Amino acid sequence: MCTPCCIAQLACCCGSAACSCCCKCCPKIKQSTGTRIMYALYFLLVTVLCAVMMSPTVEQALKENIPFYAEFCQTVNAGEDCKTLVGYAAVYKVCFGMACFFFFFCIFTMRVNNSTGCRAAVHNGFWLLKFIALVACCAGGFFLPNESTFLEVWRYIGAAGGFIFLLIQLMLLVEFAHRWNANWYSGVKYNRLWYAALAFVTLVLFSVGVGAVIFMGIFYTHPEACLLNKIFLGINGSLCLVVSLLAISPFIQKLQPNSGLLQPGVITVYVMYLTFSAFSSKPKEMVVIDGVNTTVCVFPFNSGTESDKKIVTGLGTVILFGCVLYSCLTSTTRRSSAALRVCRNTEPETERARCCFCFGDDTEEYDEEQTGSGQNVVYDEREGTIYSYAFFHFVFFLGSLYVMMTATNWFHYDNHKIEKLLDGSWSVFWVKMASCWVCLILYMWTLVAPIVCPKRFVA
């Protein structure tokens, strides 16, 4: 039973065969999906490694539990207690290697239009060899000369790439909101329950948005402090109201009949999340209350311990890297590529209302290959590639820079710890606050663009 599966996995690791699970009960998987998942796993692995390198807790645990730890560090010339393998400089070097890995594949796969060539075979297979290459790239970053100059230059390159990735991420969020509305709205003419679902989800989204404004108004403002919080909470809340009214205005409805309140509901919730995250990332403010210095405008931890704070940090980290992976995996689909160019998709729309519309429509027929006792693979790229290989790797290249800057707290990297990923920093505060405004501007542009540039949106 296991022999055919082992052969299939060997062909996947050392050849151009598509990867699949050994379990027969697993649902069939498309070749293009499996390829993107494998690259995402590589990306996630290096991201976890960066988190470990920025964690003094993990460093201390290794020092206490690994026998002859100090001797091992001296043997590999990693300095006392492996200091060169931890900290922001180590993260910069590892992310430099990962960025070089994806940038090389971006150049290597340019103008690949079918999956039968040798370059496409390398892209879709040889996973063991590519893993070895990724490890070599990450390790090679520790042997670069002129470390101080490299770190200074790479920091600004990372900041530029991180901002571009943030822009792509926000554009994909806007595209997600429009796609959600279009998908569910397409089912209204067949079943009125889809209209009820649209109304219910819209009500929930705006309830969460209004609740977030009230929550931050209570706990993140103070009569004698937190002036920026008051100003930006008012601005962001007002802008969310403006885009909501704009979405249902008559002149927008005339050109976009499907425009409704679901899209601004999604945007409102995300903007409120970013606002909350920005307030949590701002350095703490203190005022004198009854002769005692008291920290104000912070999350109300009732237990007085660090347990609640760890939950908030963990949740924020999961959301953060979930958004990163979503952006990397979905930015190369045909629909998302059209959205990133801000033009109408030239392909005919065959929208079918589904609850899980993000996972695509499986109505198309493709060749399916039986892989012995393992998972069946659907070869959906026989006639041509269904996404841009080069752009896929370019997005992961930008994602590597974004992870590097996020893990090292952007420009406040000195003595930063991964456990304080969401703690106070003015650079993180302004990045998140700017992201709120860019997100709102992008959504507003998608509403008024057909009026400003009608020729680009002619069906």
Side-chain angles (χ1 to χ4, degrees):
M1 288 290 291
C2 64
T3 301
C5 184
C6 292
I7 295 175
Q9 297 305 316
L10 183 63
C12 161
C13 293
C14 302
S16 60
C19 281
S20 61
C21 297
C22 286
C23 184
K24 183 72 173 179
C25 62
C26 292
K28 60 185 178 181
I29 184 173
K30 295 179 180 178
Q31 180 191 26
S32 61
T33 303
T35 297
R36 285 180 282 185
I37 289 176
M38 288 299 296
Y39 281 113
L41 289 176
Y42 283 1
F43 182 84
L44 189 61
L45 180 65
V46 178
T47 300
V48 172
L49 178 62
C50 291
V52 170
M53 288 179 165
M54 289 298 294
S55 174
T57 304
V58 175
E59 179 186 358
Q60 186 63 30
L62 292 175
K63 189 184 304 182
E64 294 175 354
N65 296 309
I66 295 181
F68 309 107
Y69 181 75
E71 292 78 0
F72 170 78
C73 293
Q74 292 179 358
T75 302
V76 297
N77 295 323
E80 184 181 358
D81 293 331
C82 294
K83 289 297 183 182
T84 60
L85 300 181
V86 295
Y88 84 93
V91 172
Y92 273 36
K93 295 170 184 176
V94 169
C95 287
F96 172 78
M98 180 168 65
C100 288
F101 174 82
F102 284 115
F103 188 74
F104 168 78
F105 273 97
C106 173
I107 303 298
F108 181 73
T109 56
M110 277 187 174
R111 296 182 178 273
V112 174
N113 298 317
N114 62 78
S115 61
T116 58
C118 60
R119 290 189 294 161
V122 173
H123 170 80
N124 290 310
F126 299 96
W127 293 106
L128 178 60
L129 302 181
K130 286 189 288 191
F131 178 76
I132 294 174
L134 176 62
V135 172
C137 288
C138 293
F142 290 89
F143 298 95
L144 294 172
N146 301 323
E147 178 177 314
S148 58
T149 304
F150 161 75
L151 293 177
E152 186 69 22
V153 174
W154 187 238
R155 181 177 306 123
Y156 290 101
I157 295 175
F163 282 125
I164 296 173
F165 182 82
L166 263 179
L167 181 62
I168 292 177
Q169 181 175 301
L170 294 173
M171 294 175 74
L172 289 174
L173 174 74
V174 174
E175 186 267 341
F176 168 81
H178 282 295
R179 185 182 177 189
W180 187 359
N181 182 77
N183 185 273
W184 283 22
Y185 193 81
S186 66
V188 170
K189 56 184 176 182
Y190 303 108
N191 191 336
R192 302 297 292 180
L193 287 177
W194 285 109
Y195 192 83
L198 273 171
F200 175 74
V201 172
T202 301
L203 179 62
V204 170
L205 290 173
F206 277 102
S207 298
V208 172
V210 172
V213 171
I214 296 173
F215 173 83
M216 287 184 282
I218 295 174
F219 294 105
Y220 282 88
T221 61
H222 191 275
E224 301 177 10
C226 306
L227 177 61
L228 285 179
N229 290 14
K230 300 172 189 175
I231 295 174
F232 291 141
L233 181 60
I235 291 175
N236 291 352
S238 300
L239 289 175
C240 288
L241 177 62
V242 168
V243 297
S244 300
L245 295 176
L246 183 64
I248 58 175
S249 60
F251 62 93
I252 295 296
Q253 290 284 320
K254 183 178 179 180
L255 293 176
Q256 301 186 52
N258 291 346
S259 179
L261 289 174
L262 179 63
Q263 303 102 308
V266 173
I267 301 301
T268 296
V269 169
Y270 189 72
V271 167
M272 288 300 107
Y273 162 72
L274 285 179
T275 304
F276 165 74
S277 184
F279 290 169
S280 301
S281 301
K282 190 166 65 71
K284 304 297 183 291
E285 296 187 37
M286 302 187 71
V287 296
V288 178
I289 301 177
D290 298 329
V292 179
N293 286 331
T294 305
T295 302
V296 294
C297 304
V298 294
F299 191 86
F301 299 108
N302 296 323
S303 62
T305 65
E306 291 293 312
S307 58
D308 292 336
K309 191 173 184 180
K310 289 180 180 178
I311 293 174
V312 175
T313 303
L315 180 61
T317 305
V318 169
I319 294 175
L320 170 66
F321 291 110
C323 291
V324 171
L325 287 178
Y326 175 80
S327 302
C328 290
L329 292 175
T330 62
S331 60
T332 48
T333 61
R334 290 173 180 171
R335 184 191 298 265
S336 296
S337 296
L340 293 177
R341 292 193 299 269
V342 196
C343 62
R344 187 180 297 278
N345 191 355
T346 57
E347 296 184 358
E349 293 289 342
T350 56
E351 202 69 59
R352 183 172 64 90
R354 303 182 307 278
C355 290
C356 300
F357 62 91
C358 287
F359 297 100
D361 197 346
D362 295 326
T363 56
E364 296 181 85
E365 295 294 333
Y366 297 106
D367 294 334
E368 184 174 334
E369 180 175 298
Q370 304 290 332
T371 54
S373 61
Q375 184 181 23
N376 292 336
V377 177
V378 178
Y379 285 88
D380 56 340
E381 294 188 313
R382 295 284 194 192
E383 299 179 358
T385 60
I386 66 171
Y387 66 98
S388 170
Y389 291 174
F391 186 61
F392 172 80
H393 290 293
F394 181 69
V395 172
F396 266 105
F397 163 73
L398 296 178
S400 304
L401 302 181
Y402 179 72
V403 166
M404 178 185 77
M405 299 305 295
T406 303
T408 57
N409 210 23
W410 291 85
F411 292 102
H412 290 75
Y413 47 83
D414 294 328
N415 299 320
H416 179 64
K417 305 174 183 178
I418 198 66
E419 288 86 351
K420 296 183 178 181
L421 180 62
L422 302 182
D423 274 13
S425 166
W426 280 114
S427 59
V428 176
F429 171 80
W430 287 113
V431 166
K432 292 179 178 179
M433 196 56 64
S435 299
C436 292
W437 302 330
V438 172
C439 183
L440 289 164
I441 291 172
L442 285 174
Y443 175 64
M444 195 177 300
W445 169 248
T446 63
L447 295 177
V448 301
I451 302 174
V452 179
C453 307
K455 292 183 179 180
R456 290 177 62 89
F457 292 84
V458 175

